[in-house]
Amino acid sequence: AQSVDQPDAHVTLSEGASLELRCSYSYSAAPYLFWYVQYPGQSLQFLLKYITGDTVVKGTKGFEAEFRKSNSSFNLKKSPAHWSDSAKYFCALEGQGTGSKLSFGKGAKLTVSP
Amino acid sequence: EAAVTQSPRNKVTVTGGNVTLSCRQTNSHNYMYWYRQDTGHGLRLIHYSYGAGNLQIGDVPDGYKATRTTQEDFFLLLELASPSQTSLYFCASSGGAQDTQYFGPGTRLLVL
């Protein structure tokens, strides 16, 4: 079985601060991990993914994430945050041999105040 | 840029009604997916497909059927709609394992 947990449903911070959205996963083998973003009223857009190799991956819009096998985490980071980063962020896991089937976390709504 | 379109964008039906949601992708992707998004649940996979004529069961398939008629077209069928199926439905496509999924704009369904 595979699952993803995003423990912070709502995150609020001020523009210019550093943001970190937490994601933890449960999976018995090496996971493939993704972050997607959903702006208000829009669909989901891909941000970045970890497949193998370098544990720090860089994505679009200035975001990066670090894969930590030791504590089963894949946290999303950006510094500084901008008001336009306000959106809902989803972490997702693809298990090996699952035919690209993704399991999503419940999402974290980020509000960045100007 | 990947292109996934969905129709209709909004749909209202009554309990027991018959609804078909359509999805088309022009990415030449083999994989297509149907998700529902509900507050407090994130995205949940309903059905997915590896190619024309193929259908795989997702995590929340009850009450839904799906059909993949061509590489481009994937349909989600609700034959006896219930209020619990009121949701925002997303279609997505990808090239396969480890690949990015590209999402359509969504269909908002209300079952009265």
Side-chain angles (χ1 to χ4, degrees):
Chain A
Q2 58 192 63
S3 65
V4 175
D5 182 46
Q6 295 181 247
D8 306 310
H10 299 274
V11 176
T12 301
L13 46 83
S14 298
E15 194 170 36
S18 298
L19 77 85
E20 181 170 2
L21 301 180
R22 296 187 292 164
C23 172
S24 63
Y25 68 89
S26 175
Y27 187 59
S28 56
Y32 307 128
L33 295 161
F34 299 77
W35 277 98
Y36 287 83
V37 60
Q38 184 179 32
Y39 296 101
Q42 296 186 24
S43 187
L44 280 78
Q45 301 175 28
F46 169 77
L47 275 180
L48 49 78
K49 64 182 176 183
Y50 170 78
I51 302 300
T52 187
D54 195 343
T55 56
V56 177
V57 292
K58 296 187 185 299
T60 61
K61 307 179 191 294
F63 287 91
E64 68 175 37
E66 182 176 7
F67 170 64
R68 290 190 174 180
K69 184 179 179 180
S70 59
N71 61 358
S72 300
S73 68
F74 188 55
N75 294 350
L76 183 70
K77 302 176 185 179
K78 182 179 179 181
S79 185
H82 190 263
W83 64 267
S84 60
D85 295 325
S86 297
K88 194 161 190 177
Y89 293 81
F90 292 94
C91 182
L93 179 153
E94 177 187 324
Q96 295 182 19
T98 63
S100 75
K101 177 181 170 183
L102 285 180
S103 297
F104 281 85
K106 294 182 179 181
K109 184 176 180 182
L110 174 67
T111 302
V112 181
S113 54
Chain B
E1 180 82 19
V4 181
T5 56
Q6 295 181 232
S7 63
R9 296 293 311 279
N10 294 279
K11 177 72 177 179
V12 180
T13 190
V14 295
T15 299
N18 197 321
V19 177
T20 298
L21 306 185
S22 302
C23 177
R24 166 164 285 197
Q25 55 97 3
T26 58
N27 311 318
S28 300
H29 285 160
N30 288 327
Y31 291 72
M32 295 185 74
Y33 314 82
W34 277 108
Y35 294 93
R36 60 178 290 173
Q37 182 179 17
D38 304 287
T39 303
H41 289 280
L43 272 78
R44 293 181 289 174
L45 182 64
I46 303 170
H47 290 297
Y48 60 114
S49 168
Y50 298 154
N54 176 266
L55 182 64
Q56 303 294 316
I57 295 173
D59 298 320
V60 290
D62 292 347
Y64 302 94
K65 293 183 179 179
T67 181
R68 180 88 177 270
T69 55
T70 65
Q71 186 184 40
E72 294 79 19
D73 298 302
F74 195 29
F75 300 92
L76 186 67
L77 294 76
L78 292 72
E79 294 185 332
L80 287 172
S82 72
S84 65
Q85 294 176 308
T86 292
S87 188
L88 179 57
Y89 292 87
F90 287 105
C91 176
S93 75
S94 83
Q98 306 168 32
D99 193 22
T100 299
Q101 291 191 15
Y102 294 89
F103 286 80
T107 294
R108 193 169 294 278
L109 175 66
L110 173 62
V111 183
L112 299 173

